Amino acid sequence: MNSMRIIVAGGAGYIGSHVCVELVKAGCKALVIDNFVNSSPKALERISEIAGGDVELLEADLADPADTQRIIDAVKAFRPDGAVHLAGLKAVGESVAEPVMYYSVNLPATFTLVRALEEANARLIVFSSSATVYGALNENPIDEDGATGPTNPYGRTKLFIEEILKDLALADKRWKVCNLRYFNPVGAHPSGRIGEDPNGIPNNLFPFIAQVAVGRLPKLKVFGDDYPTRDGTGVRDYIHVVDLAAGHVAAIDYLSRKATPGAVAFNLGTGSGVSVLEAIGAFKRASNRDIPYEIAPRRDGDIAEFFANPSRANAELGWKATKSLADMCADHWRWQSGNPNGYRD
Ligand code: UDP
């Protein structure tokens, strides 16, 4: 691992910034490619501050043909060993309203990155996929051999990219691919210096709770309390973003050690579920703030319960989520309370 050179596409974002910290800590050199459409250059300063090493930056849009040659040149000049690919649009609701935008950003960004890696002779890629590729077709816990059937365009871009990378690895044995299927990433770096900074009103549970706790939003809506779960609210597999980031480093290490791994999918989750009411309770304890909430109707498209079987990643990557729900809440709160407006002043 030490001294590997890794491109981090989307490296200024929520997950990408945590991946950069773990890469620098592991002794790697990183080149971030980001267009800052949903991220801030401040994250990069803070990565250096936390990890004690710089990351290089190429400000460019992987999905914009006008930037393609500049990206290829910069990637070749960096002489990478591989890439972590987290560049793309990621809002489920927006993808339903603007499907063509999602397809025409997430797929071309991948093509450009793959082409640049080919030209740099660095055929190793760890892709930021999502457990959303499974849709609602499987019994819990979900394993990687489960059926896929994403229920929105965002999720379909994740599945299509996985399939494209699989085809690539089938066509050319030099390609090494990990498709990492994230469950529900939450929390922040324990330093409180980097974390999730959603644009506008958050859709996801943790950022919403955190903004209620800090007083930026008045009240949380709990979407349904009549699910067949232990307290009637939806159950998800929340994973600390630092554990998730460590999974990327483990995936790079795994791919670099294997001669011809092909394309392998891994669930990154804890393997246990937490209900909405349990999450509220834990956040309340961590923040020592009141979290007003009301029970609201179910949200369209939500399922009752969804959690991972992470045993393939545990066994093959030698990786395991180690942080508790209390850690996720404490770290999320440290970030939110120290940076009530995210990276904006
Ligand atoms: N949820 C909620 N209120 C919110 C946002 C989410 O009750 O304002 C619930 C949602 O119904 C689900 C869980 O929290 O049961 C996690 O939702 P999130 O959007 O964070 O993740 P996903 O649905 O993609 O797993």
Side-chain angles (χ1 to χ4, degrees):
M1 269 318 299
N2 208 356
S3 78
M4 278 185 86
R5 304 177 65 82
I6 305 296
I7 303 290
V8 188
Y14 171 42
I15 296 166
S17 57
H18 291 84
V19 168
C20 287
V21 167
E22 296 307 308
L23 285 172
V24 173
K25 276 174 51 190
C28 299
K29 290 264 175 287
L31 169 64
V32 168
I33 304 177
D34 208 298
N35 62 355
F36 300 117
V37 72
N38 188 24
S39 61
S40 166
K42 282 197 187 140
L44 300 180
E45 293 163 23
R46 296 190 181 184
I47 291 165
S48 306
E49 180 192 307
I50 298 166
D54 281 341
V55 294
E56 291 179 40
L57 168 67
L58 175 70
E59 183 172 354
D61 184 346
L62 281 153
D64 181 351
D67 286 356
T68 301
Q69 195 56 50
R70 198 160 57 88
I71 291 169
I72 290 172
D73 293 343
V75 168
K76 280 166 75 177
F78 183 70
R79 292 178 292 102
D81 296 294
V84 179
H85 175 25
L86 313 107
L89 300 174
K90 61 166 191 177
V92 172
E94 186 184 51
S95 80
V96 175
E98 298 277 355
V100 174
M101 179 167 89
Y102 271 65
Y103 294 120
S104 60
V105 170
N106 291 6
L107 274 63
T110 305
F111 301 146
T112 303
L113 181 61
V114 164
R115 190 176 148 202
L117 291 170
E118 288 266 4
E119 296 211 14
N121 213 4
R123 294 176 183 80
L124 182 156
I125 190 164
V126 172
F127 173 55
S128 159
S129 187
S130 167
T132 193
V133 298
Y134 295 114
L137 300 172
N138 302 282
E139 298 278 315
N140 289 297
I142 316 281
D143 67 49
E144 292 87 349
D145 298 325
T148 52
T151 55
N152 55 70
Y154 159 75
R156 279 187 281 277
T157 68
K158 292 294 180 191
L159 182 60
F160 295 165
I161 293 167
E162 282 200 14
E163 296 290 330
I164 290 164
L165 296 176
K166 267 164 69 179
D167 285 341
L168 189 61
L170 278 174
D172 181 343
K173 294 284 174 274
R174 292 174 299 176
W175 271 99
K176 302 176 173 193
V177 175
C178 271
N179 289 315
L180 300 184
R181 296 174 174 170
Y182 308 161
F183 279 70
N184 290 58
V186 299
H189 193 270
S191 62
R193 299 294 287 158
I194 56 173
E196 188 169 17
D197 183 15
N199 275 334
I201 295 179
N203 296 307
N204 295 114
L205 181 65
F206 265 70
F208 203 108
I209 292 181
Q211 293 195 11
V212 171
V214 83
R216 215 167 126 180
L217 292 168
K219 190 189 272 188
L220 172 75
K221 285 193 165 95
V222 174
F223 297 140
D225 68 348
D226 57 352
Y227 285 108
T229 59
R230 50 187 175 266
D231 61 18
T233 65
V235 166
R236 296 290 182 276
D237 186 340
Y238 298 98
I239 173 167
H240 196 295
V241 66
V242 171
D243 278 333
L244 189 77
H248 294 69
V249 178
I252 294 169
D253 188 42
Y254 165 88
L255 291 178
S256 62
R257 282 187 285 107
K258 298 265 169 183
T260 51
V264 200
F266 291 107
N267 286 341
L268 296 186
T270 65
S272 54
V274 168
S275 77
V276 176
L277 294 181
E278 288 163 354
I280 296 171
F283 208 95
K284 206 170 155 172
R285 286 189 291 280
S287 62
N288 209 15
R289 295 286 177 100
D290 201 25
I291 310 204
Y293 68 85
E294 65 188 21
I295 305 298
R298 291 181 178 193
R299 183 172 66 179
D300 258 4
D302 271 358
I303 55 178
E305 195 159 15
F306 196 66
F307 56 91
N309 175 353
S311 52
R312 182 186 289 175
N314 299 161
E316 299 284 319
L317 300 181
W319 166 93
K320 200 174 189 324
T322 57
K323 291 178 181 276
S324 66
L325 179 62
D327 297 328
M328 300 177 206
C329 293
D331 293 337
H332 206 114
W333 176 243
R334 192 174 301 104
W335 155 253
Q336 180 71 66
S337 54
N339 306 267
N341 299 311
Y343 292 109
R344 285 162 290 267
D345 290 325

